[in-house]
Amino acid sequence: MNSNLLNTPIDYLKGLGANRSEIIKKELKIFDYKGLVNLFPNRYIDKSKYYKIKELPNFSCDVQIIGEISNLSEIGIGRKKRLVAHFNDGEDEIELIWFKSVKWLKKSLLLNTKYIAFGKLNFFANKVSIPHPELELYKPESLSLRLKLQPIYPSTETLVKKSISNKVISNLVKSLLFDVKLKFKETIPDYLISELKLLDKNSSIYNVHFPKNNELLSEAIRRLKFEELLFLQLQLLKKNINRKDKIKGYNFNVVGNNFNKFYKEVLPFELTNAQKKVLKEIRNDLGSNAQMNRLLQGDVGSGKTIIAFMTILIALDNGFQACLMAPTEILSVQHYVGFIEMSKLLNINIVILTGSTKASQKKEIYKALELGEIDIIIGTHSLIQDKVVFKNLGLAIIDEQHKFGVAQRSKLWAKSTTPPHILIMTATPIPRTLAMSAYGDLDISLIDELPPGRREITTVHRYDSNRLSVFKFIKDQISEGRQVYIVYPLIEESKNMDFKDLMDGYESLSREFEQPKYQISIVHGRMKAQDKEFEMKRFENKETQILIATTVIEVGVNIPNASVMVIESSERFGLSQLHQLRGRVGRGIHKSYCILMSGNKLSNESKLRLKTMTQTNNGFLIAEKDLEIRGPGDIMGTQQSGVIDLKIADLISDQKILTYARKFAKQILEDDKNLSKEKNSNLLNTYNHLVKNKDLWSYIG
Ligand code: ADP
Ligand code: MG
């Protein structure tokens, strides 16, 4: 019966009326009783303290005073008309002032009667007053029952305009809890409640709205946040389990010639411990009979490519084909060249397919691919065209494309009954908390250490006015044999302007760095692929010392002799982009530098970004900062935002609870993967409801 009650439309609430209930529906997306009790306060005003007037603080803040009105008078005329009350606490006096509802207030306020006045202090011309205070009749017997912490609910401009104040909302919730006396069923099993010492559901809801005291309030919030995150994690982890149950994968149980030979005879360095650990995780997946769906996160330069290559060798050793997809042509070429180099002692056939591959060549590739004559194909998005048909694709690796959606991923295997294993690699470190939530259905591997010998990249911020000293520094580096990147922003919407910036920059640099002493390469989006490649090659071969580019070089490019990265208009780049760009240097044995150029006028956000860059080289710290600055929705794009649409928990500030919730969700599912044990019946009910309605908070009662 109670659950029916919870579904009652808010129109039925006493005293609300059709007009206002429509506004609430529209503004707050609240339609029924349960929607209203699940509107959690943003904050609370402490009303536990009563001030004497002589003890009032000398700055503006909320205060509460007990006193009587000794005098009430209208002052001024027209728009300046106001009602002024002299409020006396027995010793001193303060003015209470109203500009609205003057007539009505004047009639209804009582003189020489004790009130509690609450409001914000206002200081004007050496006088203290409280404009528009809340007044409440003082009753000593009910003082102990009085709300000590007043909830402040989310609001909107329209609500305020239509006089649906916090008090109105608060009273609606109050009537649901204290008149209708709604009851809320537990959603978390007893054993967890007692192990984690959680407040029960019913008390939590009552206390989150009308806290009896500070302790109960924080207990209530802790419990509700845990509940929300627990069910979020249960849902994500279960999706993962279901996928593994349902989607069978090829079993790569052979560790064969290619892998062994490469490992023993070619691999030019020892893998870092982090790389070894990740490789083990991948090998476990590949031999588990389920499809691998793994996200490999590793900071720029942590050595993901080698992991990709070795994983591909395993696929080949088991008789399958593999593909590697990269976001840009330059990166594809670089991978292709690297792979050819690494496979020189192996007998394998590698091809590259991009937008600029000639038509005749493409045809040959399609044919050979279908016949199984090609072992590895590397390329851009061209790889997911319908024309690309594999004989037996066993593994698909996607580099630097964390935004490559599930739908696109599945395009890679639409044509075979058994899907290939999938490895997604990214250096845009998605903060762990966010990854855990937004990618709950992927397994996550982390390379959390850089190959030995890497040194911090010294990063500085310089204003355009300091350009001369920057040029001098670049010349010094070049005279030591180093090479330099100079990057200009490219933003889709203002392509023409950006192009002009780039060309202007090129011109002035050509004047500063004169031929033949200095040679400059230039690479930008308007060039043909062959020309880009040609220019990149010249830089790679050290024929040029400076490479000017738009952000096409952002990801992946690997030229160890380059030691300086100059980023022009750096205030226009996002944090993760800046970090990616910086990662193009510091790849060899030379001390490296990143110089962030900017104009003099900077927004606070830009300042914060540049400061973050100069303070740390750690991609994960940068990602956390980025999340803080931009918020999760922006980072993940809209497609994932549904997952992280949380009502009470916050992915940034509640990381501890999130980790905790994830741990317990894992334990629960390891012990009872279908939540079918009696002790988990609460969980199952809520879980089912959640899956059906996609909204945790629609389940209560
Ligand atoms: P990213 O993770 O950014 O893709 P790369 O795979 O391009 O990084 O690796 C960066 C550089 O580090 C490459 O030159 C690579 O050969 C080198 N490298 C990778 N792993 C190791 C290692 N274990 N020891 C030494 N150098 C390594
Ligand atoms: Mg890479």
Side-chain angles (χ1 to χ4, degrees), residues 531-582:
D531 299 340
K532 276 192 226 167
E533 220 174 285
F534 178 78
E535 287 290 298
M536 288 297 293
K537 261 255 112 61
R538 292 209 305 146
F539 190 63
E540 229 175 310
N541 295 339
K542 302 192 192 160
E543 290 162 33
T544 60
Q545 298 91 15
I546 299 176
L547 175 68
I548 301 183
T550 48
T551 42
V552 283
I553 63 154
E554 183 181 328
V555 285
V557 171
N558 190 25
I559 294 169
N561 189 52
S563 66
V564 184
M565 166 62 69
V566 180
I567 305 176
E568 294 287 345
S569 306
S570 58
E571 72 271 26
R572 288 168 66 189
F573 289 87
L575 258 181
S576 68
Q577 245 184 333
L578 290 173
H579 180 62
Q580 273 281 352
L581 284 169
R582 176 169 60 184

Side-chain angles (χ1 to χ4, degrees), residues 300-301 303-305 331 334-335 399-400 425 427 555-557 584 587:
V300 183
K304 295 183 292 293
T305 314
L331 191 52
Q334 193 184 292
H335 277 320
D399 191 19
E400 303 292 3
M425 306 197 295
V555 285
V557 171
R584 296 311 107 211
R587 303 196 141 230

